């Protein structure tokens, strides 16, 4: 019995052309027994940053609360919103604080960061459960279906996808990946972040 | 009497020999309407070491049957050798090649015969049935088997299989109103998907890479369906008036 | 073994818990109340390690009461659930964690909605339309997948609950005999005889 697989669940984030997308499944289980088909693992951090927290469900809630607190404190002290890169390091250091008794979560982040010229640049990152950062250029995955997500994403993803095409790509990736994972599934949610809006869609999936 | 040195009392010692190993790699097969594609990478590894960059995992059994074997390479090679021997005996006894569905049942019997000391291999058999349709049979190490339209096995099966579900079976895809998904894909489309599957698996799995061998089995009297345009295609069949077997080789990343 | 069930319906939550208190194979008590009324519109059913259940549930009960005394208004269902979850989550990483599973049923008097939370000893919390703890959950959850109706009246809800209890009594080897049932709706929390 692995703690990382106790509740199940998976998250993926992808980069597109001037946009990013992040998606997760909605299952909460106790090993093989499904408890909930509406357990959110992705949370908004700012208007332009989302974080996905697959892993042990109690730590999903605890870390969400911790990140919310730390980001609020940052916003108050700095009098500005946190940037994705900064948030990624905040996540990393929060996890590393518990190096020898970790939170059993592998966070995935997606956002748009400000460039010096005033534009917005897609940003994605993921860490392991002790906060080792991975800044990927294409996509990042985590959770019980991670190997399946890697396989499908590697086959479907291409550079420079427009928001609607990115939505289709990430949706197909997560749906087909979780259908081959007993611990993930029971519906999915997808967020596509663009410069002027975030589009969130809940997807119907197989319920077995 | 000199002082006796107390000898250590003999303790029972446990020794173990593990007769199995995992040699990585991935295999894959897709059935078309009148053809079958059976593919495998050629890397053979143990742990983090590459033993060889060219160890075939896919074998032509007859002109209508190709077998891909993945798992423990020594068992795989021995198993293929024994299947080939049984097929030769069949040829001597009946003056013809064994039909594909019979080869499949033979493989089941041979695997199950070793139920309590199994061949540590996943088998995928591809070829042409007696009715001329393309077929894929997949097996577990003890002989449980099933006829399917496509199957991936081996180290990167968890990466490849969901991709195939999406692209071959059109899972989670809704056809445009008034249209339907094709029941079978064209040979050129299948070859493209197989190459994509292996390049993807090579990218993300350390045990997959080096080379790719794709066998194509065409039904009797079937046109080449674009196969003649594929670069480097080689014919492997003994006759050109029955089912025909071709091989296509590609390089994969070696890192 | 211990069983907790809960169902939401149109403007109410029904919470049911078996009444046996067992130690190993011996029934020590058959009329134990495992559902606490935490505030006028909040019910908490609990199960788990015998000592922990009492200690933790009374700790929660007193703290929820304290909030009400200090602030003159009670915590809403989701706020109370969040506080209780956090208590369990903090306990989980302590020297001796509480081994207590909970079902929290409440009625939000501001938004006029019923709420039900499934909480386990790890501090896992999720809002659900119906919930269960214990071996009974393996039968009851699939039964409720089929028969639960969020628009059902209280009578219909109780009928569904009875089907659940009947199924568990019939199919689980070590099933408890009696259940205590409590309901919370706009009129507050009360016990119901079934």
């Amino acid at each position: 019995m692995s703690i990382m697989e106790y509740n199940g669940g998976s998250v993926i984030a992808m980069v597109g052309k001037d946009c990013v997308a992040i998606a997760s499944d909605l299952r909460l289980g106790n090993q093989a027994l499904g408890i909930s088909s509406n357990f959110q693992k992705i949370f908004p951090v700012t208007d332009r940053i989302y974080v996905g927290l697959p892993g042990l469900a109690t730590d999903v809630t605890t870390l969400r609360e911790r990140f919310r607190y730390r980001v609020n404190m940052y916003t108050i002290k700095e009098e500005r919103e946190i940037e994705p890169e900064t948030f990624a390091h905040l996540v990393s250091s929060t996890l590393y604080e518990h190096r020898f008794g970790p939170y059993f979560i592998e966070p995935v982040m997606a956002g748009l960061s400000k460039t010096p010229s005033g534009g917005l640049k897609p940003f994605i990152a993921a860490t392991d459960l002790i906060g080792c950062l991975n800044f990927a250029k294409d996509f990042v995955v985590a959770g019980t279906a991670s190997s399946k997500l890697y396989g499908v994403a590697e086959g479907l993803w291409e550079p420079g996808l427009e928001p609607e095409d990115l939505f289709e790509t990430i949706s197909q990736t997560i749906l087909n990946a979780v259908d081959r994972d007993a611990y993930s599934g029971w519906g999915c949610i997808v967020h596509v972040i663009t410069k002027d809006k975030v589009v969130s869609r809940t997807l119907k999936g197989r319920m077995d | 009497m000199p002082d006796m040195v107390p000898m250590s009392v003999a303790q029972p010692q446990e020794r173990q020999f593990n007769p199995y190993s995992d040699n990585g790699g991935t295999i894959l097969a897709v059935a078309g309407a009148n053809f079958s594609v059976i593919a495998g990478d050629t890397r053979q590894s143990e742990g983090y070491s590459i033993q060889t960059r060219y160890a075939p995992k896919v074998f032509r059994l007859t002109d209508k049957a190709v077998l891909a074997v993945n798992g423990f390479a020594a068992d795989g090679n021995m198993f293929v050798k024994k299947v080939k021997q049984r097929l030769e005996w069949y040829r001597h006894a009946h003056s013809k090649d064994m039909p594909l569905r019979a080869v499949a049942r033979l493989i089941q019997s041979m695997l199950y015969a070793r139920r309590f000391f199994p061949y540590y291999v996943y088998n995928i058999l591809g070829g042409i049935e007696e009715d001329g349709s393309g077929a894929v049979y997949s097996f577990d190490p003890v002989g449980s088997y099933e006829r399917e339209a496509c199957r991936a096995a081996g180290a990167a099966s968890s990466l490849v299989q969901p991709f195939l579900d999406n692209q071959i079976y059109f899972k989670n895809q809704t056809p445009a109103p008034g249209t339907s998904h094709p029941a079978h894909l064209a040979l050129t489309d299948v070859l493209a998907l197989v190459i994509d599957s292996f390049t993807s698996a090579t990218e993300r799995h350390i045990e997959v890479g080096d080379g790719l061998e794709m066998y194509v089995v065409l039904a009797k009297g079937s046109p080449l369906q674009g196969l003649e345009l594929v670069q480097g295609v080689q014919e492997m069949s003994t006759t050109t008036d029955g089912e025909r077997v071709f091989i296509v080789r590609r390089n994969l990343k070696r890192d | 073994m211990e069983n907790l069930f809960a169902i939401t319906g149109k403007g109410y939550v029904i919470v049911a818990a078996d009444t046996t208190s067992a130690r190993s194979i011996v029934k020590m008590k058959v009329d134990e109340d495992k559902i606490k009324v935490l505030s006028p519109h909040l019910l908490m059913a609990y199960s788990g390690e015998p000592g922990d259940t009492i200690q933790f549930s009374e700790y929660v009960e007193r703290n929820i009461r304290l909030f009400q005394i200090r602030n003159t208004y009670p915590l809403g269902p989701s706020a109370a659930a969040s506080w209780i979850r956090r208590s369990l989550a903090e306990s989980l990483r302590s020297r001796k964690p509480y081994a207590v599973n909970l079902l929290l049923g409440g009625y939000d008097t501001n938004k006029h909605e019923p709420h039900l939370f499934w909480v386990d000893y790890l501090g896992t919390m999720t809002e659900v339309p119906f919930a269960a703890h214990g071996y009974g959950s393996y039968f009851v959850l699939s039964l409720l997948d089929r028969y639960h109706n969020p628009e059902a009246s209280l009578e219909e809800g109780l009928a569904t609950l009875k089907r659940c209890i009947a199924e568990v009594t019939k199919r689980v080897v070590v099933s408890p005999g009696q259940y205590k049932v409590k309901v919370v709706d706009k009129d507050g929390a009360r016990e119901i005889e079934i």
Side-chain angles (χ1 to χ4, degrees):
Chain A
M1 191 201 83
S2 160
I3 297 185
M4 296 302 290
E5 288 161 19
Y6 184 76
N7 299 117
S10 303
V11 178
I12 180 170
M14 279 180 177
V15 165
K17 187 170 186 294
D18 302 321
C19 59
V20 283
I22 183 167
S24 81
D25 69 324
L26 292 172
R27 183 180 181 270
L28 171 90
N30 250 215
Q31 316 243 60
L33 175 68
I35 299 293
S36 174
S37 55
N38 190 210
F39 186 76
Q40 301 292 337
K41 302 174 213 357
I42 299 180
F43 307 100
V45 179
T46 67
D47 292 349
R48 289 202 193 82
I49 310 172
Y50 277 69
V51 62
L53 305 169
L56 190 68
T58 179
D59 293 344
V60 172
T61 319
T62 306
L63 272 184
R64 185 194 86 110
E65 289 170 1
R66 254 190 118 95
F67 290 145
R68 186 174 58 189
Y69 170 77
R70 290 197 147 182
V71 168
N72 284 347
M73 292 306 286
Y74 182 97
T75 315
I76 293 164
K77 283 181 181 162
E78 295 277 324
E79 296 181 316
R80 65 184 171 90
E81 280 198 341
I82 197 168
E83 284 297 305
E85 287 84 349
T86 321
F87 177 69
H89 284 96
L90 186 152
V91 168
S92 171
S93 47
T94 305
L95 290 174
Y96 198 79
E97 272 178 25
H98 303 271
R99 172 63 181 79
F100 297 110
Y103 288 119
F104 297 97
I105 297 286
E106 293 182 336
V108 167
M109 292 144 271
L112 297 173
S113 59
K114 287 208 179 80
T115 56
S117 58
L120 289 170
K121 190 170 71 56
F123 173 90
I124 54 161
T127 89
D128 64 6
L129 76 170
I130 52 168
C132 174
L133 277 162
N134 165 23
F135 302 109
K137 286 195 285 282
D138 43 11
F139 51 83
V140 283
V141 304
T144 53
S146 59
S147 64
K148 288 107 180 167
L149 286 164
Y150 269 130
V152 189
E154 195 65 60
L156 296 184
W157 186 87
E158 55 190 53
L161 290 163
E162 296 292 334
E164 278 308 302
D165 296 333
L166 184 66
F167 166 74
E168 198 61 34
T169 306
I170 199 169
S171 299
Q172 287 295 324
T173 304
I174 194 151
L175 284 170
N176 289 285
V178 300
D179 282 355
R180 281 281 175 180
D181 183 27
Y183 294 125
S184 299
W186 271 22
C188 297
I189 187 160
V190 181
H191 307 274
V192 182
I193 309 164
T194 53
K195 74 175 195 323
D196 37 35
K197 63 173 187 288
V198 178
V199 179
S200 303
R201 294 188 180 95
T202 304
L203 308 177
K204 279 188 178 176
R206 288 179 68 104
M207 298 301 280
D208 57 359
Chain B
M1 281 280 278
D3 287 346
M4 296 284 282
V5 180
M7 302 287 284
S8 62
V9 181
Q11 291 290 118
Q13 284 189 34
E14 191 176 303
R15 291 190 195 283
Q16 248 204 34
F17 168 63
N18 183 191
Y20 291 123
S21 173
D22 179 3
N23 299 107
T26 281
I27 52 170
L28 156 64
V30 182
N34 57 358
F35 65 87
S36 190
V37 177
I38 307 93
D41 71 326
T42 64
R43 174 175 294 183
Q44 191 178 99
S45 59
E46 191 166 12
Y48 294 132
S49 307
I50 296 172
Q51 293 173 322
T52 171
R53 296 191 191 277
Y54 185 69
K57 278 190 277 292
V58 193
F59 303 92
R60 189 191 70 90
L61 298 177
T62 66
D63 277 355
K64 57 184 146 214
V66 172
L67 183 62
V69 196
N70 193 214
F72 176 32
D75 271 5
N77 292 327
M78 197 61 205
F79 185 70
V80 170
K81 191 171 158 179
K82 294 211 166 196
V83 173
K84 280 183 171 172
Q85 183 181 53
R86 292 289 292 268
L87 292 176
E88 187 175 332
W89 289 346
Y90 183 95
R91 226 163 8 244
H92 291 320
H94 299 92
S95 309
K96 63 162 190 159
D97 281 334
M98 189 186 278
L100 192 71
R101 60 187 198 94
V103 180
R105 182 60 68 87
L106 172 71
I107 288 172
Q108 158 161 85
S109 315
M110 292 176 67
L111 289 170
Y112 197 82
R114 294 282 295 263
R115 175 62 180 77
F116 298 107
F117 185 18
Y119 288 109
Y120 214 70
V121 287
Y122 284 90
N123 283 286
I124 301 178
L125 175 71
I128 303 296
E129 294 281 19
E130 282 174 305
D131 67 0
S133 61
V136 163
Y137 290 91
S138 65
F139 302 80
D140 80 349
V142 288
S144 181
Y145 80 112
E146 180 183 16
R147 186 182 166 181
E148 295 175 291
C150 80
R151 171 60 65 184
S157 61
S158 65
L159 284 75
V160 175
Q161 191 65 53
F163 177 68
L164 261 28
D165 290 343
N166 187 223
Q167 297 293 313
I168 306 274
Y169 290 117
F170 298 103
K171 289 277 173 68
N172 293 111
Q173 288 195 257
T174 326
T179 64
S180 63
H181 292 309
H184 294 286
L185 288 145
L187 175 58
T188 47
D189 295 344
V190 170
L191 286 173
L193 282 171
V194 170
I195 292 169
D196 277 2
S197 298
F198 275 92
T199 40
S200 293
T202 303
E203 202 65 41
R204 294 287 175 176
H205 201 113
I206 57 167
E207 293 173 357
V208 182
D210 293 332
L212 168 61
E213 285 190 330
M214 293 175 287
Y215 280 74
V216 181
V217 192
L218 292 181
K220 195 184 292 185
S222 154
L224 287 171
Q225 306 177 47
L227 194 62
E228 71 283 3
L229 303 171
V230 175
Q231 57 144 300
V233 61
Q234 265 182 281
E235 180 148 11
M236 307 284 279
S237 33
T238 51
T239 62
T240 50
D241 54 347
E243 289 84 3
R244 298 172 73 183
V245 184
F246 299 84
I247 184 168
V248 180
R249 291 196 175 87
R250 286 289 179 272
N251 288 319
L252 291 173
K253 280 170 72 176
R254 291 152 63 90
D255 55 3
Chain C
M1 299 294 285
E2 291 186 304
N3 285 314
L4 307 178
F5 314 129
I7 309 171
T8 57
K10 198 171 172 59
Y12 64 85
V13 185
I14 308 171
V15 180
D18 71 275
T19 56
T20 45
S21 169
R23 225 168 123 173
S24 180
I25 55 161
V26 184
K27 278 182 183 170
M28 308 299 284
K29 202 164 180 286
V30 288
D31 57 351
E32 173 120 312
D33 186 357
K34 300 179 198 174
I35 310 172
K36 270 202 155 38
V37 180
L38 296 181
S39 66
H41 292 276
L42 188 62
L43 289 171
M44 180 174 80
Y46 52 87
S47 67
E49 182 86 9
D52 290 1
T53 51
I54 304 296
Q55 186 73 15
F56 184 76
S57 64
E58 289 186 356
Y59 168 76
V60 167
E61 189 180 34
R62 293 300 96 202
N63 274 98
I64 297 285
R65 178 72 187 129
L66 178 64
F67 183 97
Q68 201 175 344
I69 294 166
R70 277 180 172 163
N71 301 282
T72 70
Y73 64 91
L75 276 178
S78 60
S82 291
W83 186 87
I84 295 164
R85 187 211 80 84
R86 186 176 258 258
S87 302
L88 281 170
E90 280 168 5
S91 148
L92 183 72
R93 286 184 160 85
S94 69
R95 200 177 57 78
K96 177 72 173 72
Y98 286 118
V100 184
N101 299 315
L102 308 168
L103 294 180
L104 289 153
Y107 185 81
D108 187 333
T109 47
N110 295 122
K111 288 183 176 163
H112 307 287
E113 294 164 341
H115 288 283
L116 171 61
F117 297 92
W118 183 95
V119 184
D120 76 0
Y121 73 100
L122 300 167
T124 312
M125 180 175 84
T126 182
E127 184 163 7
V128 282
F130 49 83
H133 276 299
Y135 283 112
S137 66
Y138 291 100
F139 299 88
V140 162
L141 290 182
S142 44
L143 206 71
L144 289 170
D145 275 334
R146 176 64 184 81
Y147 293 110
H148 177 259
N149 173 205
E151 293 299 307
S153 67
L154 183 58
E155 290 67 36
E156 290 167 320
L158 285 167
T160 308
L161 180 78
K162 282 178 190 163
R163 296 180 77 148
C164 294
I165 292 172
E167 187 71 9
V168 170
T169 311
K170 187 176 179 183
R171 294 294 178 187
V172 181
V173 177
V174 277
S175 59
Q178 282 158 307
Y179 285 83
K180 197 173 268 290
V181 180
K182 293 187 186 180
V183 174
V184 60
D185 57 14
K186 65 177 183 351
D187 305 321
R190 63 184 178 280
E191 190 176 336
I192 283 188
E193 290 297 326
I194 55 158

